[in-house]
Amino acid sequence: MLKSKTFLKKTRAGGVMKIVREHYLRDDIGCGAPGCAACGRAHGGPALEPQPQDPASSLWPRPHYLMPDTNVLLHQIINAWKLGTWASVSSRLRPTGILKVPTNKTETYVEQEQGENANDRNDRAIRVAAKWYNEHLKKMSAENQLQVIFITNDRKNKEKAVEEGIPAFTCEEYVKSLTANPELIDRLACLSEEGNEIESGKIIFSEHLPLSKLQQGIKSGSYLQGTFRASRENYLEATVWVHGDTEENKEIILQGLKHLNRAIHEDIVAVELLPRSQWVAPSSVVLHDEGQNEDDVDREEEREHLLKTAVNEKMLKPTGRVVGIIKRNWRPYCGMLSKSDIKESRRHLFTPADRRIPRIRIETRQASTLEGRRIIVAIDGWPRNSRYPNGHFVKNLGDVGEKETETEVLLLEHDVPHEPFSQAVLSFLPKMPWSITEKDMKNREDLRHLCVCSVDPPGCTDIDDALHCRELSNGNLEVGVHIADVSHFIRPGNALDQESARRGTTVYLCEKRIDMVPELLSSNLCSLRCNVDRLAFSCIWEMDHNAEILKTRFTKSVINSKASLTYAEAQMRIDSATMNDDITTSLRGLNKLAKILKKGRIEKGALTLSSPEVRFHMDSETHDPIDLQTKELRETNSMVEEFMLLANISVAKKIHEEFSEHALLRKHPAPPSSNYEILVKAAKSKNLEIKTDTAKSLADSLDRAECPAFPYLNTLLRILATRCMMQAVYFCSGMDNDFHHYGLASPIYTHFTSPIRRYADIIVHRLLAVAIGADCTYPELTDKHKLADICKNLNFRHKMSQYAQRASVAFHTQLFFKSKGIVSEEAYILFVRKNAIVVLIPKYGLEGTVFFEEKDKPKPQLIYNDETPSLEIEGTVFHVFDKVKVKIMLDSSNLQHQKIRMALVEPQISGVSIPTDISNVDLNEPGRKKRKFEK
C-alpha cells in the first residue's frame, strides 16, 4: 500500500516547490516472535530471542519483551552500547528482549494529526505498536504466550499507555524490579542536563544560552565558536581554539570556574570575548583539584586569586568566558572512586585518570566493592548549582596498579582500538601456506639477487624496510629502499582495509604492541625477514659518490633479504676491520652516503632536535622493569633515517606530479614566534642568542649554542626547542596550499616507508602504484573530500598513539621506582613556574615537577620573574637549565594518581630542601603525604 503526502515549499529564490513524500506500507512484516508460525513464515524466520526465561522482575514476573520509547533508547540503551557495556547489560536483560517498532507495517503505521507535534506523533506510534503486539501475541499458544512492556520516562506518555491498557513503567521502575541484578541501578543515566541537582546548592554557574541564540551570536560576531581544551597543569584554566581561518583571536584563554562554565575537554563551545581591560596572561601556577568537599566553592575563589598577578601587557592574551555548549564531546572516562566520608552515603566523587576532566558525582550502592579499583563512568549532565557534573557507573576494570588493568585504562583513555580482529576482517587474509605466484609477479621486478638487508631495533618483528647499496659498471652507486608491499594484501574497501583505516597506526607500548593489521601480515607475510621471499615496493636511485641523485625509479618487486640486523650489529660490521663481505660493504656505502645527505639537509635548514627516549629492561619472569636507561643512538640509526627521509621525499614528488589534487602528504607548520619565547629567554639567561626567524637561523643558532664548561646545555636547548614545535599533520594536496615541512626543511614530504604500522603509507603506496601503472585506481582514491576525512582520522590516531606510548612509559617508570625505592640524582631545570620547577633527569630521561607550596605546610617566600625566567625561593634563585639534585620516589598515597614525586635536595634551602640522608626522615611531616618512605 502507498500513502503519499503533498505540500508546497518556498525556495530561497522566491519560487514555490511542490514536495511529494511517499510512504510504502507492507503487510508481510512479521512480529518476529518465535512462537508465531504465521509471522515466522511471512518474515522469513523469527527475529527475536527464543522464548525468554523468568526475567526475575518483581513488577512483571511473566516472560515478556520490552518496547522502549525513543528517549530511553537514546539516553539509556544507546549510551550503554557506546560505552562498550552493552554485552553485560543485555545479558541481564536478555530474558526480556527488545522490540523494534515496525513503522512501515500496515497495522502500526500512524499519520501525524492536525495540531500534533512530531514528538507526540512518535509517542503515539510506539503505543499503537505496543498495543498491536499485545493483541497479536494473544493468538499464540498458551505455553508460548508473551506480553510487551512499554518503557518510558515521559510521565504523560506512561499515563496514556496505562489508559490504553498497555503495561508501562519508567526505566528506573523496571530496572529496580530486576531484584537478581541490583547493580544495574547504578548504570541508569540521569534524565536531563539539569537533573539531579544538589538540593541545597546555590547557583554557581551562569545559564547556557540556547543553541539558536548561540548560532545568531556566532553569525553576528558577538560569540566565537571553538574547541575547549582544559589544562593538565591547572584545573582552573583552559583555552578555546577558535574555528575558522581568522588569525586574530585564534586562541582564547579562560580562567576561573565561572568562566569555564561547565565546559569539558574537547567540547565545542561558544565563547564571549571579554573587554581588553579584563584580559589575562597564561598562568604559571600548577594547580590540581585535590579537594574532597564537592561544594567548597569559596576555596576555589581563593585559589583563583593565585592566577592573577601583575604581568607585562605584551603577555596578555585574548580572554573570554563560555556562554554555551554547541556540542558535547563526552566519552567514557576511566578513573577511581573517591568514597564519601559519610557512612552509608550513596553519593560519591569519581576522579578521572585524565586530569583535564573534572571530578564526576555518581550514586552507587557498590562503593565498598569499587574502592581501590579502576572503573568507567559516564557523564549525564552538569547542573548550574553543582561544583561537579553528574554521572553514573558503567564498568569495573580491575584493581588499581595491576599491569593488565592499567594497560586497559591507558588504551581506553587514549581511544586506542585494541579489540581482537573480527572474523570478517580475518577472512580477507591470505590462506596459508602462502607463496608468490605468477599472478603476483605481474608488473613486478625480481630483485632477489640483490644484497638487501634490514636494520631495526632489537626484537623487531614487523620489519617494514630494507636497504641495499652496490657499485654500478659506470662507477656510480645504486641505492635501494625496499618497503613491504602491504597494499598487495589489503585491497581497497574490504573489511581488512576498513579496520586498518579505523586503527590508523600501530601503537607501541612498553610490553605490548597493538597492531594496525593482523599478525599474519605484520610479523610474517609483510615483514621483510631474512632468507625468505617477500613482496616489496622499491624506490631505487642512481647516485654519484657525493650522494647527488642522477636517476630515480619506482617499482613493485620481490626481494630476499640477506640479513636482519639490529642497529648495534650493523654498527659493529661497519666498524670492524676484519669484515668485508657483501652485506658489510653495502652498509659502509650506505653509511657514507647518509652522512653526506644529512650534512646537505642541515645546510638547507633542517633541524636536529632532541627528545629523551627511554628503554626498559624487563625481568624475564615477572616482566617488571628492572632497569631504565636512555636509548643509545648510533650512526646506523641516522643511516636508516636518512634513506627513509629521502624515499619519502622522492615518493611525495612523484605522487604530487601525478595527483596534484589527491596526493596524501605530510606537512610540519612553522611555529608562531610566540612559541619560541621560553627558548629565547632561557638561552638569554645563559648569555646565548637563539634566532628563530627561519628554520635555518634556528638550526645555526642551536649549533653555535655551545658552552665548554656545560656540554649538556646544547642538548637541553634542543629538548626545549622540540617543545616549541607544532604537530606535523597529514593532509590532502587539493585541500591546502602550504606543503612545507619546517623541521626537515623540505618543500614536500609524505610517509611511504612504514605501511605495516601506518595506514597513511598504504594510501601513498596505492597512489604510487597507480602513478607507475602497477595497479588500478578506485573512486575513493581520487576523492579529495574522502581523503581529507581519512587524514583527519589519521592525525587523531597518531596523536593518541603518542599519548598512549607516553602513558605506558610513565606507568612502567612508576613500577621501576616502586621496586627501586628512593634515589637521589642530578637534574636540570627545564621550566620554572610560580610555585614549582620542572626538571629533567638525564640518567633516566625522566621529567618531573618539584613543588614548593604544599597543603598544611608553611609557605616559603616565592618571587617569580617571567622575563628571565626565574624563581627565587627564600633568597635562592633558580633559572632554566640550572643544575639541581633531587630525590625521586613513588608517591602512592593518592591512589587516584600514583606519581613519581621529586623533592629538592641541593641546593639546600631551609624549610624547603630535604636532607641528603633521609633514611630516618618522615617525608609526610606536616604538609607532606602521610606515608613514610624508606631506603
Side-chain angles (χ1 to χ4, degrees):
M1 185 189 297
L2 174 67
K3 292 222 171 199
S4 63
K5 189 174 183 179
T6 305
F7 59 94
L8 301 176
K9 182 180 178 182
K10 188 175 180 180
T11 66
R12 287 184 178 180
V16 175
M17 182 186 292
K18 184 179 180 182
I19 307 288
V20 178
R21 284 189 179 161
E22 296 180 338
H23 201 108
Y24 291 88
L25 302 182
R26 296 170 56 185
D27 56 11
D28 61 342
I29 301 175
C31 68
C36 185
C39 285
R41 285 194 300 272
H43 189 62
L48 295 171
E49 293 282 331
Q51 177 160 337
Q53 302 300 313
D54 180 7
S57 168
S58 58
L59 287 173
W60 207 266
R62 297 187 298 279
H64 55 272
Y65 290 118
L66 296 182
M67 184 174 284
D69 73 2
T70 312
N71 286 323
V72 169
L73 201 66
L74 287 172
H75 294 119
Q76 303 289 351
I77 295 167
I78 298 299
N79 193 33
W81 191 307
K82 186 173 81 173
L83 293 170
T85 61
W86 178 241
S88 62
V89 175
S90 63
S91 66
R92 291 170 172 82
L93 295 181
R94 185 156 291 153
T96 60
I98 293 181
L99 294 178
K100 179 183 176 184
V101 179
T103 55
N104 59 338
K105 185 173 173 64
T106 307
E107 297 94 328
T108 58
Y109 175 71
V110 170
E111 284 194 29
Q112 191 169 343
E113 296 175 351
Q114 193 164 0
E116 184 179 45
N117 63 39
N119 191 53
D120 289 342
R121 181 260 166 208
N122 290 340
D123 287 345
R124 186 163 58 86
I126 298 171
R127 293 198 304 274
V128 167
K131 194 167 185 177
W132 176 84
Y133 260 109
N134 279 334
E135 292 297 323
H136 180 79
L137 293 174
K138 284 180 182 177
K139 299 172 187 175
M140 295 169 60
S141 60
E143 64 271 15
N144 288 330
Q145 204 168 98
L146 299 163
Q147 195 150 12
V148 168
I149 302 244
F150 182 44
I151 304 295
T152 178
N153 289 325
D154 186 316
R155 181 175 54 82
K156 289 183 179 178
N157 201 9
K158 181 188 170 189
E159 288 172 356
K160 287 180 181 178
V162 172
E163 286 172 10
E164 294 167 12
I166 304 166
F169 305 104
T170 66
C171 195
E172 185 175 0
E173 287 171 342
Y174 182 80
V175 171
K176 282 184 175 178
S177 77
L178 301 175
T179 51
N181 300 103
E183 74 280 2
L184 288 180
I185 299 168
D186 291 347
R187 305 189 184 202
L188 286 174
C190 295
L191 300 184
S192 70
E193 171 89 358
E194 302 297 328
N196 270 12
E197 295 194 349
I198 300 170
E199 293 79 359
S200 58
K202 65 179 182 179
I203 298 297
I204 302 170
F205 301 101
S206 59
E207 191 172 359
H208 288 152
L209 297 179
L211 190 59
S212 57
K213 285 192 176 180
L214 296 179
Q215 289 169 336
Q216 289 172 10
I218 291 165
K219 193 174 181 180
S220 67
S222 303
Y223 306 136
L224 297 168
Q225 177 179 324
T227 304
F228 181 89
R229 292 175 178 167
S231 167
R232 290 181 190 275
E233 293 191 334
N234 188 337
Y235 74 101
L236 295 174
E237 184 170 276
T239 56
V240 171
W241 191 257
V242 178
H243 300 169
D245 298 326
T246 176
E247 286 301 317
E248 188 181 3
N249 302 332
K250 190 73 176 174
E251 194 175 53
I252 296 173
I253 291 179
L254 312 176
Q255 279 189 358
L257 276 182
K258 292 179 181 178
H259 286 170
L260 302 181
N261 197 10
R262 297 173 288 159
I264 292 173
H265 185 65
E266 294 295 343
D267 282 350
I268 308 300
V269 299
V271 293
E272 180 182 46
L273 207 59
L274 297 176
R276 189 175 283 269
S277 60
Q278 296 181 38
W279 286 12
V280 299
S283 171
S284 296
V285 177
V286 179
L287 285 179
H288 294 150
D289 182 9
E290 294 176 348
Q292 292 296 321
N293 186 351
E294 61 184 284
D295 306 321
D296 191 0
V297 180
D298 294 334
R299 175 177 166 274
E300 308 297 351
E301 291 174 356
E302 284 177 22
R303 301 194 86 178
E304 284 176 24
H305 287 301
L306 290 172
L307 307 180
K308 307 207 172 17
T309 54
V311 292
N312 189 317
E313 194 168 326
K314 290 180 182 177
M315 296 172 62
L316 298 177
K317 304 286 184 185
T319 306
R321 68 183 186 96
V322 172
V323 293
I325 308 294
I326 293 167
K327 184 189 175 190
R328 288 292 194 188
N329 278 323
W330 296 340
R331 59 175 176 83
Y333 299 106
C334 301
M336 292 186 65
L337 193 72
S338 299
K339 191 178 173 185
S340 172
D341 294 332
I342 303 170
K343 197 175 180 183
E344 304 300 325
S345 175
R346 293 189 307 192
R347 180 176 288 172
H348 309 275
L349 281 177
F350 164 83
T351 303
D354 187 343
R355 287 195 181 274
R356 295 172 298 185
I357 307 302
R359 292 183 172 203
I360 301 166
R361 188 157 51 89
I362 69 168
E363 291 195 21
T364 178
R365 296 153 183 79
Q366 306 175 67
S368 298
T369 305
L370 300 178
E371 193 175 18
R373 298 177 76 83
R374 292 288 188 189
I375 63 173
I376 297 178
V377 161
I379 294 178
D380 300 321
W382 196 339
R384 292 174 60 199
N385 64 348
S386 173
R387 168 66 183 83
Y388 298 110
N390 294 326
H392 65 275
F393 164 72
V394 173
K395 188 178 180 182
N396 184 346
L397 294 174
D399 289 330
V400 66
E402 285 190 357
K403 267 192 282 191
E404 294 76 12
T405 301
E406 297 300 335
T407 300
E408 178 75 5
V409 167
L410 72 87
L411 291 171
L412 289 169
E413 277 296 287
H414 298 101
D415 198 10
V416 175
H418 58 285
E419 61 277 7
F421 289 99
S422 68
Q423 283 304 312
V425 170
L426 297 175
S427 68
F428 286 95
L429 292 174
K431 300 295 181 283
M432 297 300 286
W434 175 85
S435 61
I436 297 171
T437 64
E438 278 189 36
K439 185 181 176 183
D440 295 331
M441 291 302 297
K442 188 181 177 184
N443 299 320
R444 198 175 289 277
E445 199 171 327
D446 192 340
L447 302 179
R448 284 175 282 196
H449 62 284
L450 294 177
C451 186
V452 173
C453 69
S454 62
V455 184
D456 291 281
C460 179
T461 60
D462 52 343
I463 303 172
D464 286 286
D465 55 89
L467 300 149
H468 88 271
C469 176
R470 64 172 179 165
E471 191 165 343
L472 299 173
S473 57
N474 62 5
N476 291 329
L477 298 171
E478 179 187 85
V479 177
V481 166
H482 311 276
I483 305 301
D485 189 5
V486 182
S487 62
H488 173 85
F489 298 95
I490 301 180
R491 303 309 295 166
N494 66 25
L496 177 56
D497 181 48
Q498 290 171 4
E499 180 63 15
S500 303
R502 184 177 78 92
R503 295 187 178 217
T505 181
T506 293
V507 180
Y508 294 90
L509 306 181
C510 291
E511 278 190 278
K512 192 174 185 178
R513 189 180 78 203
I514 312 297
D515 281 326
M516 182 186 79
V517 298
E519 190 178 16
L520 178 63
L521 297 183
S522 67
S523 295
N524 188 351
L525 301 185
C526 291
S527 184
L528 305 182
R529 302 185 299 186
C530 61
N531 302 318
V532 289
D533 294 346
R534 288 290 178 256
L535 302 180
F537 210 147
S538 301
C539 175
I540 300 172
W541 304 276
E542 184 177 335
M543 294 181 176
D544 63 21
H545 287 265
N546 294 318
E548 290 292 332
I549 297 172
L550 306 174
K551 291 179 186 174
T552 304
R553 68 186 183 94
F554 308 96
T555 180
K556 290 222 171 188
S557 61
V558 180
I559 66 167
N560 187 299
S561 174
K562 303 303 182 279
S564 297
L565 306 173
T566 65
Y567 290 116
E569 288 168 345
Q571 191 69 54
M572 183 189 70
R573 281 175 173 266
I574 291 169
D575 297 339
S576 172
T578 58
M579 298 184 78
N580 292 294
D581 56 276
D582 289 346
I583 294 171
T584 305
T585 303
S586 176
L587 288 169
R588 286 178 183 144
L590 290 166
N591 196 41
K592 181 184 174 184
L593 292 170
K595 289 177 181 179
I596 300 170
L597 289 170
K598 184 172 184 177
K599 185 172 181 286
R601 280 196 313 107
I602 291 171
E603 285 173 355
K604 290 177 184 175
L607 298 173
T608 305
L609 301 177
S610 182
S611 182
E613 291 187 66
V614 297
R615 176 178 295 281
F616 292 94
H617 295 276
M618 302 293 184
D619 185 285
S620 58
E621 292 183 5
T622 65
H623 299 288
D624 287 336
I626 54 176
D627 197 10
L628 173 61
Q629 296 173 339
T630 52
K631 288 184 181 177
E632 183 184 353
L633 297 179
R634 297 176 170 85
E635 278 186 1
T636 44
N637 292 82
S638 179
M639 177 190 78
V640 172
E641 181 185 16
E642 285 306 316
F643 286 107
M644 297 306 112
L645 293 175
L646 187 61
N648 288 335
I649 292 168
S650 298
V651 170
K653 290 175 182 175
K654 180 65 176 178
I655 62 173
H656 185 247
E657 283 171 12
E658 296 291 328
F659 302 98
S660 59
E661 292 287 300
H662 313 110
L664 190 154
L665 301 176
R666 187 166 175 81
K667 69 174 182 176
H668 182 212
S673 56
S674 58
N675 279 30
Y676 287 122
E677 285 178 7
I678 182 66
L679 175 65
V680 172
K681 287 177 181 177
K684 192 176 179 182
S685 70
K686 298 299 179 188
N687 298 315
L688 296 170
E689 183 183 14
I690 298 291
K691 293 183 178 179
T692 61
D693 45 325
T694 65
K696 173 68 173 164
S697 60
L698 174 61
D700 291 344
S701 296
L702 288 170
D703 287 341
R704 289 192 300 267
E706 297 284 354
C707 179
F710 186 4
Y712 196 66
L713 175 61
N714 190 262
T715 302
L716 289 169
L717 283 166
R718 292 181 191 275
I719 290 170
L720 207 52
T722 305
R723 310 294 172 89
C724 302
M725 294 297 123
M726 303 290 283
Q727 184 79 35
V729 291
Y730 297 108
F731 69 101
C732 172
S733 59
M735 306 288 278
D736 207 323
N737 296 319
D738 178 18
F739 294 5
H740 188 72
H741 196 292
Y742 179 81
L744 297 175
S746 177
I748 193 166
Y749 191 68
T750 193
H751 272 162
F752 163 76
T753 54
S754 295
I756 293 177
R757 61 183 179 90
R758 292 190 305 233
Y759 187 75
D761 303 54
I762 293 177
I763 296 291
V764 170
H765 276 227
R766 290 172 181 169
L767 289 165
L768 184 61
V770 174
I772 65 171
D775 206 344
C776 54
T777 187
Y778 58 98
E780 288 79 6
L781 194 64
T782 52
D783 184 329
K784 63 184 181 182
H785 295 287
K786 287 189 176 177
L787 193 57
D789 288 339
I790 288 172
C791 290
K792 185 178 178 181
N793 178 61
L794 293 178
N795 290 330
F796 172 74
R797 293 296 180 200
H798 182 70
K799 182 172 68 174
M800 290 296 105
S801 167
Q802 287 181 319
Y803 291 161
Q805 286 163 209
R806 290 174 196 166
S808 179
V809 169
F811 173 64
H812 281 79
T813 303
Q814 289 177 13
L815 291 179
F816 172 70
F817 282 105
K818 183 177 182 180
S819 61
K820 195 170 182 67
I822 303 172
V823 297
S824 178
E825 292 293 342
E826 289 181 346
Y828 294 96
I829 299 174
L830 277 183
F831 305 99
V832 291
R833 306 292 189 220
K834 286 182 181 176
N835 60 344
I837 55 173
V838 179
V839 300
L840 173 72
I841 300 166
K843 181 177 178 179
Y844 299 120
L846 180 64
E847 197 175 307
T849 305
V850 179
F851 290 95
F852 298 117
E853 285 184 339
E854 295 188 57
K855 191 178 176 184
D856 304 325
K857 185 182 178 185
K859 293 183 180 179
Q861 185 183 15
L862 303 176
I863 302 172
Y864 175 72
N865 184 337
D866 186 71
E867 287 299 314
T868 317
S870 65
L871 179 65
E872 184 179 332
I873 307 168
E874 298 290 340
T876 301
V877 181
F878 293 91
H879 295 92
V880 174
F881 303 147
D882 280 357
K883 190 176 183 180
V884 295
K885 197 169 193 177
V886 296
K887 288 286 182 186
I888 314 164
M889 63 211 85
L890 178 66
D891 183 353
S892 302
S893 59
N894 180 358
L895 281 177
Q896 312 297 334
H897 291 106
Q898 292 190 61
K899 60 188 177 185
I900 299 297
R901 184 161 167 250
M902 295 186 185
L904 185 69
V905 176
E906 293 177 4
Q908 275 288 315
I909 304 172
S910 178
V912 175
S913 305
I914 61 173
T916 306
D917 180 14
I918 60 168
S919 55
N920 296 311
V921 175
D922 185 352
L923 294 181
N924 283 317
E925 57 192 274
R928 301 194 186 276
K929 304 291 181 187
K930 295 195 187 293
R931 176 180 173 89
K932 188 170 182 176
F933 296 88
E934 296 176 355
K935 278 189 174 177

